[in-house]
Amino acid sequence: MKKILIIEDDKSIAELERDYLEIEGFSVEMALSGHEGLNKALKEEVDLVLLDLMLPGVDGFQICKSIRVEKDIPILMVSAKKEDIDKIRGLGLGADDYIVKPFSPSELVARVKAHISRYQRLIGKEAQSDGIMVRGLRIDKGSRRVFVNNHEVIFTAKEFDVLTFFALHPNHVFSKEQLFERLWGLDSLGDISTVTVHIRKIREKIEMDPSNPQYIETVWGAGYRFKG
């Protein structure tokens, strides 16, 4: 049984989310403050964190960043704000996805299932230790590590997935819609701006000059292409 940690200071919302997920067969634990949630996330074994953005004491951004230092589990951020800057900041700190309140039970469950399923498939392939070498970039699929000029660069789970997908399909142009469908697998449930955010963060980590990328280039009007 997969375990979900809900970090949400509004008890009624946390209980509602818990009920949705328990009906679908998940084990759920709640934390009603940022400090409690961060402590549970770091010390307990959970398969996904459902993280509210606005929390007293330690907010969702700080919690997300702290979890990412220690763990690679999926993080789904929840916010009542619709401003894109909050979504982008959340993803930039390592969140895999976000969902805006109010949301339907089916949307919440679909997001959680999709991210857990994808994460489990990826970690199940760790025995495959083959790597990808492209000029000064090395991607070790087995250990899920990335090296640029022999220096390791820390990637979130989703950033690693995106980079690896590109590297496995060199010189092929993918639209944002295609990338979103293949890598997130959520069809119309998400926001394709997520793709742009992740590519920007990847460029910042692997490119000497992110404004003039040598690996993932923009093909104007079409999408993105990995230069093999």
Side-chain angles (χ1 to χ4, degrees), residues 2-221:
K2 301 303 180 184
K3 184 177 179 180
I4 312 298
L5 173 62
I6 296 173
I7 306 177
E8 165 66 67
D9 63 315
D10 188 318
K11 187 177 180 181
S12 62
I13 292 177
E15 290 176 341
L16 191 61
E17 294 171 345
R18 178 198 62 194
D19 292 345
Y20 292 159
L21 294 167
E22 286 184 341
I23 288 173
E24 295 296 324
F26 292 104
S27 169
V28 181
E29 183 158 355
M30 299 189 306
L32 301 179
S33 73
H35 289 291
E36 180 189 7
L38 180 57
N39 185 60
K40 287 180 179 293
L42 296 180
K43 292 185 177 180
E44 299 182 13
E45 293 296 323
V46 299
D47 296 286
L48 180 143
V49 177
L50 192 61
L51 175 61
D52 188 58
L53 180 62
M54 302 306 295
L55 295 163
V58 183
D59 66 22
F61 293 128
Q62 294 172 288
I63 293 173
C64 182
K65 188 174 182 179
S66 297
I67 293 173
R68 270 294 165 258
V69 172
E70 302 290 335
K71 297 187 175 183
D72 203 25
I73 56 175
I75 300 174
L76 177 57
M77 296 194 81
V78 181
S79 175
K81 294 185 176 183
K82 294 184 178 180
E83 292 86 346
D84 286 341
I85 186 63
D86 279 340
K87 297 175 182 179
I88 292 171
R89 285 183 62 198
L91 289 165
L93 287 172
D96 293 278
D97 200 2
Y98 56 81
I99 186 170
V100 179
K101 300 175 185 176
F103 47 80
S104 69
S106 60
E107 181 181 9
L108 173 64
V109 171
R111 298 281 190 99
V112 169
K113 284 184 174 180
H115 282 293
I116 288 182
S117 176
R118 190 169 299 276
Y119 181 69
Q120 291 299 314
R121 288 199 302 271
L122 289 168
I123 63 175
K125 297 178 181 177
E126 288 186 352
Q128 302 175 2
S129 60
D130 53 316
I132 303 170
M133 290 287 296
V134 183
R135 299 183 293 279
L137 175 67
R138 177 161 63 92
I139 303 168
D140 189 327
K141 291 168 37 180
S143 63
R144 295 182 62 80
R145 300 168 72 188
V146 178
F147 299 84
V148 179
N149 296 323
N150 294 321
H151 290 89
E152 183 171 7
V153 182
I154 304 303
F155 272 60
T156 68
K158 187 59 67 178
E159 288 169 357
F160 184 89
D161 298 343
V162 174
L163 177 61
T164 302
F165 178 82
F166 270 118
L168 290 172
H169 301 86
N171 306 313
H172 186 99
V173 177
F174 292 97
S175 68
K176 286 190 288 187
E177 291 80 7
Q178 289 173 319
L179 292 167
F180 186 81
E181 182 178 353
R182 295 198 185 194
L183 291 161
W184 276 259
L186 303 175
D187 298 323
S188 61
L189 292 177
D191 184 340
I192 62 171
S193 65
T194 298
V195 175
T196 305
V197 172
H198 279 78
I199 289 175
R200 175 177 60 81
K201 297 299 293 183
I202 291 169
R203 283 172 170 167
E204 290 174 355
K205 294 180 178 183
I206 67 173
E207 301 283 0
M208 291 290 292
D209 178 6
S211 64
N212 183 30
Q214 301 303 304
Y215 292 105
I216 301 176
E217 62 179 358
T218 300
V219 180
W220 297 108

